[in-house]
């Protein structure tokens, strides 16, 4: 049996192995670079290229390339090659020190590093800092917002709702319900400038306010259809009207499971009395600060981007008509959202987030 030419052994020092393992498992590391580091670690463990290719789901040729790159050039060989030019003047150790400093420290007088500040601090050029940050996917100038739930029944609610998404009950509908309040009917003070070659569509920054409406929506997770109504306000009275609207549009022989947030109108006494008279309805509340579990929030993002944000509306009636027109058009060719996350994967991800947060507390 042919095994091909023997490969040059790949050896790692203890420090190199610790560093590669830390970066390969870092959530902030781009997947492509993390996979290259995984290739080096597996090669150092004695696996051949064919075995590594099957493990990381790459071709044997790609595995051989990154193995060779590391042997020849060290850590810097794991990122995309630069254009031909003068030999690099920064050692692997210097690159590693710069990466550690970027990730583990901040300037004394600012909340984050900039290329110029970091270049001044480390004594290298701004373009070098920019190139290294780009190659390793570091973006200190950007950030993401997050909010951890404080709900004492967070785990139970996540498992309940995700279970509905991944294994819906038979002879029942699962509807994700919420209201988008304060949809503003804004009229631009001047007509929009049309799109042209080399020109973006232009809008004035100022506008006239004509009032607001509240959009109630229920998304069917099975087929993507949306039941929607616009109301002047979003009290329990309007929510009850919307429940009656849902009831009139859902077959009577089906149970209805509603995914809702913890807004007080959803738990009003009169709402509870209505539900008691309609036992086919079952409510599932998302944990606090976890609106991302409700799929209708994704649909709200779609209608905001496509029909509301860049619109100009002469009145609330005009806004409502355009919302209704969008909903009708959307329901002509609806597509359900593909929910793939399991409850365990969500909880594991949040666990890693909590570990990272606790690691920054001194």
């Amino acid at each position: 049996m042919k095994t091909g030419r023997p490969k040059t052994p790949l050896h790692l020092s203890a420090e190199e192995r610790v560093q590669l393992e830390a970066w390969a498992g870092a959530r902030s590391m781009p997947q492509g670079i993390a996979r290259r580091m995984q290739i080096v670690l597996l090669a150092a463990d004695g696996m051949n290229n064919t075995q590594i290719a099957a493990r990381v789901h790459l071709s044997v040729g790609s595995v051989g390339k990154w193995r060779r790159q590391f042997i020849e050039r060290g850590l810097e060989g794991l990122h995309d090659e630069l254009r031909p030019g003068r030999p690099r003047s920064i050692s692997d150790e210097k690159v590693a020190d710069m990466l550690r400093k970027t990730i583990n420290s901040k300037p004394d007088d600012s909340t984050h590093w900039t290329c110029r500040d970091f270049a001044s601090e480390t004594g290298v050029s701004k373009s070098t800092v920019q190139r290294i940050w780009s190659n390793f996917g570091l973006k200190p100038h950007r950030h993401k917002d997050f909010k951890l739930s404080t709900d004492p029944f967070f785990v139970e609610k996540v498992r309940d709702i995700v279970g509905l998404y991944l294994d819906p009950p038979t002879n029942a509908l699962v509807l994700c319900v919420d209201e988008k309040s304060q949809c503003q009917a804004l009229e631009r003070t001047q007509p929009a400038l049309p799109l042209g070659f080399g020109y973006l569509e232009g809008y004035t920054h100022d506008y006239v306010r004509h009032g607001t409406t509240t959009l109630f929506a229920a998304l069917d997770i099975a087929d993507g259809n949306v039941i929607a109504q616009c109301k002047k306000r979003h009290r329990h009275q309007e929510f009850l009207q919307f429940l009656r609207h849902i009831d009139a549009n859902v077959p009577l022989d089906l149970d209805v499971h509603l995914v809702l947030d913890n807004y007080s109108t959803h738990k009003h006494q009169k709402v509870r009395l209505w539900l008691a008279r309609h036992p086919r309805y079952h409510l599932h509340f998302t944990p606090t600060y976890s609106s991302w579990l409700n799929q209708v929030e994704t649909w709200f993002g779609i209608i905001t981007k496509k029909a509301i944000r860049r619109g100009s509306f002469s009145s609330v009636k005009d806004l409502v008509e355009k919302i209704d027109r969008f909903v009708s058009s959307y329901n002509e060719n609806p597509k359900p959202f593909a929910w793939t996350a399991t409850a365990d994967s969500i909880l594991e991800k949040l666990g890693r987030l909590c570990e990272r947060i606790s690691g920054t507390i001194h």
Side-chain angles (χ1 to χ4, degrees), residues 155-180:
V155 173
E156 292 82 357
K157 290 180 178 180
V158 168
R159 293 194 181 281
D160 176 39
I161 292 173
V162 173
L164 286 176
Y165 293 162
L166 297 179
D167 187 19
T170 57
N171 299 319
L173 284 179
V174 177
L175 300 177
C176 293
V177 178
D178 202 359
E179 52 270 337
K180 180 176 176 62

Side-chain angles (χ1 to χ4, degrees), residues 305-352:
K305 183 168 65 174
K306 290 188 174 183
I308 299 176
R309 182 175 295 147
R310 286 168 59 175
S312 181
F313 311 101
S314 59
S315 64
V316 173
K317 181 181 178 182
D318 182 29
L319 170 61
V320 171
E321 288 175 351
K322 289 178 179 175
I323 289 175
D324 290 342
R325 193 181 311 148
F326 177 86
V327 173
S328 297
S329 175
Y330 185 89
N331 284 336
E332 290 176 2
N333 186 29
K335 293 181 180 179
F337 301 125
W339 185 279
T340 58
T342 64
D344 286 339
S345 69
I346 292 172
L347 296 174
E348 288 172 6
K349 183 175 182 178
L350 290 173
R352 291 193 296 269

Side-chain angles (χ1 to χ4, degrees), residues 246-292:
I246 292 175
D247 198 50
N249 286 275
V250 171
L252 296 175
D253 59 335
L254 295 178
D255 277 2
V256 183
H257 293 261
L258 303 181
V259 176
L260 299 160
D261 64 19
N262 293 274
Y263 190 46
S264 58
T265 59
H266 302 158
K267 300 179 179 181
H268 193 275
Q269 183 62 29
K270 291 186 178 180
V271 173
R272 294 180 179 180
L273 290 175
W274 188 90
L275 292 169
R277 294 193 297 268
H278 298 77
R280 70 184 183 126
Y281 283 82
H282 310 274
L283 270 56
H284 306 263
F285 292 103
T286 60
T288 54
Y289 309 130
S290 302
S291 59
W292 47 269

Side-chain angles (χ1 to χ4, degrees), residues 15 64 86 149 188 220 244 253 255 258 283 291 298 331 351:
E15 183 180 353
R86 64 183 178 86
S149 175
R188 307 288 172 176
D220 187 342
R244 296 187 185 102
D253 59 335
D255 277 2
L258 303 181
L283 270 56
S291 59
T298 303
N331 284 336

